[in-house]
Amino acid sequence: MRIVVVAPSCTLRPEAAEAATAIAASRGDAELVIHPQCFFSDGHFAGPDEVRLEALREVMADDRYDAVWFARGGYGSNRIAEAAVADLPAAARSKTYLGYSDAGFLLAPLHKAGLEVAHGPMVQDVARNGGEAAVNRALDWLVRRDESSLEPGLKAGQRALAFNLTVLSNLLGTSLEPDFTGAELLIEDVAEHEYRIDRVMFHVTGSPAIRRSSGIRMGRMSEIPDNDPAFGSDAESIVRDWCERSKIPFLGHADIGHDAANRVVPFK
Amino acid sequence: MRIVVVAPSCTLRPEAAEAATAIAASRGDAELVIHPQCFFSDGHFAGPDEVRLEALREVMADDRYDAVWFARGGYGSNRIAEAAVADLPAAARSKTYLGYSDAGFLLAPLHKAGLEVAHGPMVQDVARNGGEAAVNRALDWLVRRDESSLEPGLKAGQRALAFNLTVLSNLLGTSLEPDFTGAELLIEDVAEHEYRIDRVMFHVTGSPAIRRSSGIRMGRMSEIPDNDPAFGSDAESIVRDWCERSKIPFLGHADIGHDAANRVVPFK
């Protein structure tokens, strides 16, 4: 399987590209093609919007690739997401798209357009402790839809969507918003203060579109900065509280997060 | 005029309460009544939700007060905002409400309910450099609708609303969202990274409700933390860029912000 890597938000580290490429090569069932755009740099981003968009559109339209794997998160894919899904070429429809975090801004409209997308590990995750397992988990799913890569709570016949909570909040009400009706919604976040998690849970659970989901499952909320004074409740209590207030069922935990254990959630 | 102070989000400092009370007393035209709830503390908040809500509902229903002045921002008024505007007593409708920042979560539904609200200095602002002027500006407007307190770009017969940008983003799509149709929308923010300003501008300008506004005027975006690497554009370029992309007119600057110069914007 030929998997192409582009970076719609921030620059990929060359060491990470090399390490992930070597893992794929050693498996014998997958070839990673790292688009040069991954190493571009323009302020916060892996190249200007037009360059990131052009690289993404180019690989989406290229018949030689079976999957598009997003290099890493950060910030910026929202800036090109609407244009990325306009007038989709046929070749774009026969591919799988994988990523999470900021890449959720792309997963949402790609899913909405009927393409096959999943929330799961990215190339840069190879640099994490245990990162080789994350890369193999992603490849196992991309290459042979290995069920052991999947988030273990997913149920056959049950719609599911997964998002970074802050990204989800920022796409609600925009043209990128997908249909949440009847879907389990898995959320995770990283490096947000508890007051921000509380505020964004207020926003997300206050959305009529989100209230049409079948419930929320909570992934890991990691690297939460200290609140001064102590906030008074932890991330799980916050999520449970807003679920209760909004009458959205709290469905337990999800094995996703900004870490090497992050499992795959195919959107459906 | 009797003006009552409550704290729907975080705890007011006693020194600030004393200083503002003294300023009001020395004017001879206003009496500040500081509700004891302002000094309560419960984790991040000035007392638990029920206590903050009860204090707010109590002063709203009290005929002895002509205005409700929010003590300060922080975070938390969204947690009680929906309940605060339910089944409004008649006395609540004859008052003016003043605040900004997190208090925007209350200004929005109070305005939506037909009450007289304004975005402007709060009691805690007395602690800023030049804070006495901010308090007097607020009182000049509350007591005698002094036009010199007003944001200078406001035009007769032109609807206007003002919000902290991050607060605005977090109330969009919730029950607190006001009608933006034909209104000038004034925005300001504090202590947000440029990538967060960019992301939230994407969200806000991607909203069909916001696109019905007559345009955006930009207040101060202060205390922006360093981005690593440098983001690549400044706050004004970011706001102008998203206005252009969304075809929302950029209407120039607004004299509002998290500082002692913050002018008053009556919602209309």
Side-chain angles (χ1 to χ4, degrees), chain A residues 43-44 49 75 78-79 166 169-170 172-174 176 192 196 198-199 202-203 206 208 227 229-231 241 245, chain B residues 43-45 49 75 78-79 166 169-170 172-174 176 192 196 198-199 202-203 206 208 227 229-231 241 245:
Chain A
H44 191 89
D49 289 351
Y75 169 69
N78 59 320
R79 298 178 55 91
T166 301
S169 167
N170 279 289
L172 288 180
T174 73
L176 310 184
E192 298 290 348
R196 287 187 186 262
D198 197 76
R199 190 166 59 189
F202 158 80
H203 179 236
N227 203 66
F231 185 72
D241 179 40
R245 286 170 177 241
Chain B
H44 192 88
F45 308 105
D49 289 351
Y75 169 70
N78 59 320
R79 297 178 55 92
T166 301
S169 168
N170 279 289
L172 287 181
T174 74
L176 310 185
E192 299 289 349
R196 287 187 185 262
D198 197 74
R199 190 166 59 189
F202 158 80
H203 179 236
N227 203 67
F231 185 72
D241 179 40
R245 285 170 178 241

Side-chain angles (χ1 to χ4, degrees), chain A residues 74-112:
Chain A
Y75 169 69
S77 62
N78 59 320
R79 298 178 55 91
I80 60 171
E82 196 172 270
V85 299
D87 304 319
L88 284 173
R93 299 193 171 274
S94 57
K95 289 178 175 55
T96 308
Y97 300 81
L98 179 66
Y100 71 110
S101 192
D102 183 76
F105 283 122
L106 283 166
L107 300 184
L110 289 167
H111 167 70
K112 198 172 170 179

